[in-house]
Amino acid sequence: MRKIDRDANRFKQIVRGKIKSDLRKYITHGEMIGKSGGEFVSIPLPQIELPEFRYGSKNRGGVGQGPGDVGTPIGRSGDGEPGQGAGEAPGQHILEVELTMDDLAQILGEELALPRIEPKGRANIIEEKDKYTGIRQTGPESLRHFKRTYKKALKRQIASNTYDPRDPLVIPIREDKLYRSWNPISMPQFNAVVLYLMDVSGSMTDDQKEIVRTEAFWIDAWLKSQYDGVTTRYIIHDAVAREVDEHTFYHTRESGGTRISSAYALANKIIEESHSPLDWNIYILHFSDGDNWGEDNRQCIGLLRDQLLPRCNLFCYGQVESPYGSGEFYRELEEAFDEAPNLALSEIRNKEGIYDSIKEFLGRGR
């Protein structure tokens, strides 16, 4: 390995360690969402400096040099005194480091000790991929196997007594050349669909929606690292539910009442029409402030027990604390589903609660 490669690997390890140690801060602030693009995400880090010794000049003071009494401050006079005008010392520099989404998901999994997901059901797509597993005597020069070609030419020259150890020149001829060949291999492609459901009634403020957006970013990063393809669909609801695009999902606010069962019924319809549990790994994440029309709770629990939970890998309900919401729906689910292995509940009081909520949702390995 070249020295530059060792240095690059060392730098990557330092960056990974810094991100892991401050992961809760990055999750809480949500600043990476605006910096993500395609397969890479940009992370702001303070400039990383390696420790080193710095030697002072002779006879310039220091520990154990010059006059002084016990308790005398060490350093140049005037250090730290206010009112000295503009400073001349350099400030802390911020370094932006690019990571792939897979690297980010790996760091998330390591720090939160998330188990890998075992996909259920059969594969949604059987895809043929070319894998270079064979050798043949014809092919393009770009696929020539140099090592095997050299060995074959060397054997031929030794056998024909034309190889001179004092002048070890090996020249392959046409019959010596060998090329890599490929064989088609059928590989199952496990796909997943994530349905995000959110209450957009008047009691859900922009602060609560920002919490949902931040948590969804990290959940998407983890699921996309576990599956070959992830489809994301969005449902908003107040008293009525409808499917929308991502931008509308995070920027809509209604003033009506709340019927959570309308969102559950629409999610169940989407699954029936487009995402059979035999072919898809299904995840439903519902975020609300827990304020629901009282008579609707029974219908919600019925839809969960009879329709959604039997079809889902995981159903997650995150209750985002709001100054206007009652929070009753969380307690209704707790009482109705005491031990459901694929139901995860989380109370998210503020941005600081996102970290623990992600661990609660993804820590089941489903």
Side-chain angles (χ1 to χ4, degrees):
M1 182 181 292
R2 296 177 300 172
K3 186 177 185 299
I4 190 172
D5 294 327
R6 290 197 301 270
D7 291 343
N9 290 336
R10 185 184 179 199
F11 176 75
K12 289 178 181 178
Q13 292 301 319
I14 293 173
V15 169
R16 285 173 61 89
K18 185 66 177 176
I19 294 172
K20 287 180 70 173
S21 64
D22 293 337
L23 185 62
R24 183 183 287 270
K25 180 192 75 173
Y26 291 119
I27 290 177
T28 301
H29 291 179
E31 57 189 353
M32 286 187 295
I33 299 176
K35 298 176 180 292
S36 61
E39 297 181 357
F40 293 90
V41 63
S42 181
I43 298 180
L45 289 175
Q47 185 170 343
I48 299 171
E49 294 184 359
L50 298 179
E52 61 181 12
F53 289 107
R54 294 182 181 178
Y55 300 97
S57 302
K58 293 182 178 180
N59 302 319
R60 292 292 300 275
V63 178
Q65 297 183 20
D69 298 323
V70 176
T72 302
I74 298 174
R76 292 175 297 178
S77 62
D79 281 354
E81 295 181 2
Q84 298 295 323
E88 60 180 10
Q92 187 182 47
H93 300 287
I94 299 298
L95 175 70
E96 288 209 346
V97 180
E98 281 194 347
L99 285 181
T100 66
M101 293 301 292
D102 286 341
D103 288 338
L104 196 64
Q106 186 178 356
I107 292 172
L108 179 70
E110 291 173 359
E111 183 63 18
L112 271 63
L114 300 179
R116 291 196 64 82
I117 295 174
E118 292 293 336
K120 71 176 183 65
R122 65 171 184 261
N124 182 52
I125 302 172
I126 299 296
E127 182 176 313
E128 285 195 349
K129 292 188 176 181
D130 294 331
K131 191 170 183 179
Y132 292 91
T133 57
I135 296 291
R136 59 185 179 183
Q137 293 185 329
T138 58
E141 289 300 307
S142 59
L143 294 180
R144 190 204 298 179
H145 198 300
F146 291 95
K147 189 174 181 179
R148 288 179 180 245
T149 299
Y150 174 81
K151 284 184 176 181
K152 191 174 180 181
L154 179 60
K155 289 178 182 178
R156 175 184 54 79
Q157 290 188 196
I158 293 175
S160 61
N161 203 25
T162 59
Y163 178 74
D164 185 1
R166 293 168 298 182
D167 184 20
L169 183 63
V170 177
I171 302 177
I173 60 175
R174 183 67 188 88
E175 288 75 13
D176 297 327
K177 294 182 179 179
L178 296 174
Y179 302 86
R180 292 182 177 88
S181 65
W182 62 89
N183 296 309
I185 297 176
S186 297
M187 300 181 67
Q189 304 296 302
F190 289 101
N191 280 9
V193 58
V194 185
L195 281 76
Y196 285 106
L197 286 57
M198 185 166 63
D199 178 6
V200 293
S201 60
S203 56
M204 285 285 286
T205 66
D206 291 338
D207 290 338
Q208 279 75 51
K209 291 176 185 176
E210 183 61 27
I211 289 174
V212 175
R213 186 166 177 252
T214 302
E215 185 156 340
F217 169 81
W218 289 94
I219 290 173
D220 279 347
W222 177 249
L223 292 178
K224 287 177 181 178
S225 74
Q226 303 292 295
Y227 291 100
D228 302 298
V230 175
T231 299
T232 308
R233 303 183 72 164
Y234 299 92
I235 296 174
I236 59 174
H237 72 88
D238 47 13
V240 179
R242 58 193 175 99
E243 185 176 6
V244 296
D245 58 33
E246 182 179 6
H247 182 270
T248 305
F249 183 79
Y250 291 115
H251 296 88
T252 299
R253 187 172 181 183
E254 307 289 352
S255 58
T258 305
R259 280 182 178 267
I260 293 177
S261 64
S262 63
Y264 290 0
L266 179 55
N268 186 53
K269 181 181 178 182
I270 290 174
I271 292 171
E272 286 182 344
E273 293 178 351
S274 306
H275 304 286
S276 168
L278 294 176
D279 298 326
W280 291 83
N281 294 272
I282 301 171
Y283 295 84
I284 300 179
L285 292 102
H286 179 213
F287 296 93
S288 172
D289 60 4
D291 196 13
N292 191 33
W293 187 51
E295 297 180 10
D296 189 54
N297 289 340
R298 182 177 299 176
Q299 188 172 355
C300 291
I301 291 170
L303 281 167
L304 271 174
R305 178 181 290 115
D306 302 331
Q307 302 292 335
L308 296 178
L309 287 181
R311 295 175 173 176
C312 292
N313 289 44
L314 186 64
F315 185 101
C316 302
Y317 174 70
Q319 187 156 290
V320 187
E321 188 170 295
S322 165
Y324 310 106
S326 64
E328 289 293 331
F329 192 65
Y330 184 93
R331 288 182 282 276
E332 292 283 344
L333 293 180
E334 266 190 325
E335 293 176 5
F337 302 97
D338 187 21
E339 293 183 0
N342 61 336
L343 175 66
L345 306 177
S346 174
E347 288 186 287
I348 314 168
R349 301 190 183 281
N350 48 41
K351 287 186 176 181
E352 298 295 330
I354 296 174
Y355 184 91
D356 295 325
S357 177
I358 293 173
K359 189 168 185 177
E360 175 64 32
F361 286 166
L362 301 178
R364 304 190 174 211
R366 298 185 64 89

